[in-house]
Amino acid sequence: MSTDVIIVFIILFAAVIMFSMDKIRNDVASIIIMLSLAWSEVIPLDQAFSGFSSNAVIAIMGVMIIGYGIEKTGIMDTFAQLIMKKAGTQENRVIATVMAVAGLISSFMQNIGAVALFLPAVKKIGNKSGISHQRLIMPLAFAGILGGTVTMVASGPLIILNDLLNEGGYDSYGLFSVTPVGLGLLIAGILYFYLLSGKVLPGGEEKDQERKDELLDIYNLPKEIHEVEIKEDCELIGKTIEELDIWRIFGIHILALWESGSKTYIPWRKTTFKEGQVLAIFGEDDHLNQFFKAFNLEHQHKLVVFRELGDEKEAGFAEIILPPDSNLKGKTLEEISLRKNYRVEPITYINTDGKRLNLMDWEMEPGLKVIVFARWEDLNSLKETKDFVVISEVKPPEESSRADKKLHAMLILGTGILLILFGVPLPLSFLSAAILMLFTKVIYKEEIYKAIDWKTVFLLAGLIPLGTAFEQTGAARLTAEAIINIVESWNVIFILLVIGLITSFFSLFMSNVAATVLLVPLILIMGESFGIDPRGLALLVAVAASNSFIIPTHQVNAYIMGPGNYKTSDYMKAGGIMSAIFLLVSTLIVYFFYI
């Protein structure tokens, strides 16, 4: 064993430790790996940094820009509504539906493109259903990878397989020859998440309504917004907010009201409570408990109807004061009709001595602060009136959907996919489509770099040279040959399992195409010597090259790491079981149908 091979194994072992322990950020770990390869000189310097110009990295940058443009147009809103109409808001049904659709689509297009296409829709579904994004995005990505095994044109390893077979003197596979394996894997993946999503996916116990506004810490205000439904026996029915004197008696605030599909933000004090309404309420815990007990109300453990109020991008708290020359000086909030006229909810007063005043009938005077809550768009409107001075940061309102660019976005996406189907390389197709979105103003020039998740770029760019070193130093061939020599006398089913396991391991640290190119010639020779159908063994290698779920090194898993806010441990938990299922299902189907 050469010194270079030993060094590569040491770096590989260090990479496994860094990724599994989650102590070092993944992109930083990748840079450390890349620098280690460069300093050790196991591969030339230009190859050590070649990841930044690799096809995979360029393709994923193009995909990110395209996905950003699709999200900005709102093109997937209709799709999200359709899925929710069919699947409802039940988590496992939504996950199964998303996976089935994404998996079937990715069986005829590159999986990274399919995942990018559906990611905006999945985010919308999460927002509308109250399901955490973390519990939807990972199943989407896994379905994209699994769908790539349904036909011979949906993933790089299967595309290259026929060339490798022809070079070895074997017949090619047809377009749907691999479909039994791919469908079996996709169905197994859907069943896995349908039954176990609650146990293996992150985000199930998060309290997404907890806010992180700076003003809440400064003035020691509550950090949660609660949601309650008014049922038929509730004593609130028929009474108004003002009549109940909710602010004075209970010390709580009604931030929003939902009725018959319509939302009212910061309802007026004359608003009457009715059966079936859903309220968003803010206040101290003891005040809220007193209110819930008095009117027999049960609050949701997480925001569902008013999920947007828990999102700092949509709404928040602000400090406002009256300017010295204001015409509102000396008037109370009731006289000003702050809620009705400005759509902001006053939470508390802060006098000029910094003392917090809980009563809300003080006369407004210059220098007296009011802490208010509202959507950012309403706070911006308040700021523009000049009646008040907003002294805290107000975030710009969310940009309206570029609905007039929907057709442009769809045509550009379709063009990119057609280019790939006609044999144009993936990075050239996707990056060209991304630039077309810029020229057609689907996205703006200032948004190009914002659309790219640079952590993902560095993660992939740093790992690609490790695969190169693993292959070029002979470490991969040495590993494969050693294992094959050990299993040559084993039962066929166990030999298949080991082949699948070797391929899966290689695909974690080198491109799945490279793993296929490296292993298929070895496996063909092994099949001939063992008396096992070489074509079946080669097909298993090409399929198992997509079994890359345990760490985010597959380009699809790397792509969704940012949007899903995942850690490596999240992949290990959900992906570890998925990898075992993948290995078992693919091995059994190949054994019974292809050997």
Side-chain angles (χ1 to χ4, degrees):
M1 187 182 294
S2 69
T3 303
D4 285 350
V5 172
I6 294 172
I7 292 172
V8 168
F9 276 123
I10 292 172
I11 294 174
L12 180 61
F13 179 74
V16 173
I17 296 298
M18 285 191 289
F19 283 123
S20 60
M21 292 185 67
D22 259 338
K23 297 294 184 183
I24 302 175
R25 216 172 66 184
N26 287 331
D27 54 323
V28 176
S30 292
I31 294 171
I32 292 172
I33 293 165
M34 179 175 61
L35 291 173
S36 300
L37 292 167
W39 280 108
S40 63
E41 297 183 343
V42 294
I43 54 175
L45 188 63
D46 59 338
Q47 290 187 344
F49 297 106
S50 63
F52 291 103
S53 61
S54 72
N55 287 343
V57 170
I58 301 300
I60 207 168
M61 289 170 67
V63 164
M64 287 174 178
I65 297 170
I66 293 169
Y68 183 88
I70 290 171
E71 187 170 9
K72 283 295 182 182
T73 62
I75 205 168
M76 299 305 286
D77 285 2
T78 304
F79 179 75
Q81 291 170 2
L82 181 62
I83 285 186
M84 289 188 63
K85 184 178 179 180
K86 298 293 183 183
T89 57
Q90 188 177 341
E91 182 180 291
N92 55 359
R93 290 182 61 187
V94 171
I95 289 174
T97 304
V98 167
M99 289 187 70
V101 175
L104 292 175
I105 293 296
S106 67
S107 65
F108 291 98
M109 65 182 292
Q110 288 288 330
N111 44 33
I112 186 69
V115 173
L117 175 65
F118 287 108
L119 184 60
V122 166
K123 288 180 179 178
K124 294 286 184 182
I125 291 169
N127 290 337
K128 292 177 182 294
S129 65
I131 302 172
S132 168
H133 289 171
Q134 287 189 307
R135 302 177 72 77
L136 293 176
I137 294 175
M138 187 175 286
L140 167 69
F142 284 14
I145 296 172
L146 294 171
T149 64
V150 175
T151 69
M152 295 294 293
V153 297
S155 68
L158 289 168
I159 292 171
I160 200 70
L161 175 63
N162 280 334
D163 290 338
L164 296 172
L165 287 173
N166 291 334
E167 289 175 9
Y170 297 93
D171 294 333
S172 302
Y173 280 107
L175 177 62
F176 296 105
S177 296
V178 74
T179 301
V181 185
L183 284 181
L185 290 170
L186 181 58
I187 292 169
I190 292 171
L191 288 174
Y192 164 52
F193 281 114
Y194 184 85
L195 297 173
L196 298 178
S197 62
K199 296 181 179 179
V200 299
L201 289 172
E205 298 178 359
E206 66 177 358
K207 300 178 79 173
D208 58 358
Q209 68 267 43
E210 184 169 303
R211 302 186 58 88
K212 300 179 179 64
D213 302 70
E214 186 178 357
L215 289 176
L216 299 182
D217 293 324
I218 293 173
Y219 295 108
N220 195 28
L221 293 169
K223 292 182 173 59
E224 294 181 16
I225 297 171
H226 298 264
E227 194 172 285
V228 297
E229 181 181 354
I230 300 177
K231 299 184 178 179
E232 58 181 356
D233 58 345
C234 183
E235 294 183 13
L236 284 176
I237 296 173
K239 298 181 174 63
T240 66
I241 297 174
E242 183 181 49
E243 184 182 346
L244 292 171
D245 203 2
I246 279 175
W247 312 292
R248 187 185 301 273
I249 296 176
F250 296 100
I252 65 169
H253 304 271
I254 311 295
L255 302 183
L257 180 148
W258 178 92
E259 182 180 4
S260 302
S262 178
K263 293 180 183 179
T264 302
Y265 297 97
I266 318 300
W268 188 34
R269 56 192 174 88
K270 298 289 187 181
T271 301
T272 302
F273 293 117
K274 299 176 184 177
E275 179 186 346
Q277 290 175 339
V278 179
L279 310 177
I281 302 176
F282 179 80
E284 302 283 352
D285 286 344
D286 53 345
H287 294 163
L288 288 168
N289 291 333
Q290 181 187 0
F291 179 70
F292 295 153
K293 186 176 180 180
F295 295 101
N296 192 28
L297 294 166
E298 293 184 11
H299 72 282
Q300 298 271 4
H301 292 294
K302 60 190 297 187
L303 295 174
V304 177
V305 176
F306 295 108
R307 187 178 176 90
E308 70 277 9
L309 295 185
D311 186 349
E312 284 84 358
K313 296 179 182 178
E314 300 283 346
F317 295 82
E319 291 177 290
I320 65 173
I321 60 173
L322 232 61
D325 57 349
S326 174
N327 295 325
L328 303 179
K329 183 171 56 176
K331 294 184 179 180
T332 64
L333 293 181
E334 181 178 347
E335 292 171 327
I336 296 172
S337 294
L338 195 66
R339 297 177 182 87
K340 183 179 180 181
N341 293 330
Y342 300 97
R343 296 183 300 282
V344 298
E345 175 69 21
I347 302 300
T348 188
Y349 281 161
I350 309 294
N351 66 15
T352 52
D353 295 327
K355 183 180 178 181
R356 181 172 163 180
L357 309 173
N358 291 321
L359 297 179
M360 303 304 292
D361 55 359
W362 296 85
E363 293 181 351
M364 292 296 295
E365 59 184 43
L368 187 68
K369 295 180 190 175
V370 182
I371 308 302
V372 299
F373 177 87
R375 294 180 300 166
W376 296 121
E377 58 188 274
D378 293 325
L379 284 169
N380 272 283
S381 297
L382 176 72
K383 195 174 182 179
E384 292 171 3
T385 64
K386 308 301 181 185
D387 292 332
F388 294 93
V389 175
V390 182
I391 59 176
S392 58
E393 180 187 4
V394 176
K395 297 181 182 179
E398 286 291 299
E399 185 179 7
S400 59
S401 172
R402 298 164 198 171
D404 59 326
K405 299 295 182 181
K406 285 182 179 179
L407 181 60
H408 298 78
M410 284 303 293
L411 288 174
I412 291 170
L413 177 64
T415 300
I417 294 170
L418 280 175
L419 288 173
I420 295 167
L421 293 177
F422 283 119
V424 178
L426 195 69
L428 181 59
S429 301
F430 279 144
L431 200 58
S432 298
I435 296 302
L436 282 176
M437 285 197 165
L438 178 66
F439 288 154
T440 55
K441 297 191 183 314
V442 174
I443 57 175
Y444 305 136
K445 60 180 183 295
E446 311 86 50
E447 297 174 325
I448 286 285
Y449 295 106
K450 184 169 69 172
I452 298 171
D453 184 348
W454 293 102
K455 290 181 184 178
T456 299
V457 170
F458 276 89
L459 170 65
L460 286 176
L463 282 175
I464 286 169
L466 178 59
T468 302
F470 197 47
E471 181 182 359
Q472 287 191 3
T473 60
R477 177 175 286 272
L478 183 67
T479 303
E481 289 177 346
I483 296 173
I484 289 170
N485 289 333
I486 292 172
V487 304
E488 60 182 343
S489 61
W490 291 13
N491 183 279
V492 174
I493 190 72
F494 292 111
I495 291 175
L496 294 178
L497 282 169
V498 171
I499 290 172
L501 192 60
I502 296 171
T503 310
S504 301
F505 174 75
F506 280 17
S507 68
L508 292 177
F509 299 101
M510 57 195 298
S511 84
N512 48 19
V513 172
T516 305
V517 171
L518 174 72
L519 289 173
V520 165
L522 291 175
I523 296 301
L524 290 175
I525 296 171
M526 188 189 82
E528 291 175 353
S529 63
F530 290 178
I532 305 172
D533 184 1
R535 289 179 77 245
L537 295 183
L539 182 66
L540 178 60
V541 169
V543 170
S546 294
N547 187 13
S548 184
F549 304 101
I550 298 178
I551 56 176
T553 51
H554 190 287
Q555 59 182 0
V556 172
N557 286 330
Y559 172 61
I560 57 101
M561 195 170 190
N565 193 28
Y566 295 121
K567 299 178 292 185
T568 303
S569 56
D570 296 327
Y571 289 94
M572 289 182 171
K573 185 176 181 180
I577 301 174
M578 184 70 252
S579 290
I581 293 171
F582 189 109
L583 185 61
L584 182 62
V585 171
S586 59
T587 298
L588 289 175
I589 294 177
V590 169
Y591 176 74
F592 285 110
F593 293 94
Y594 297 88
I595 298 297

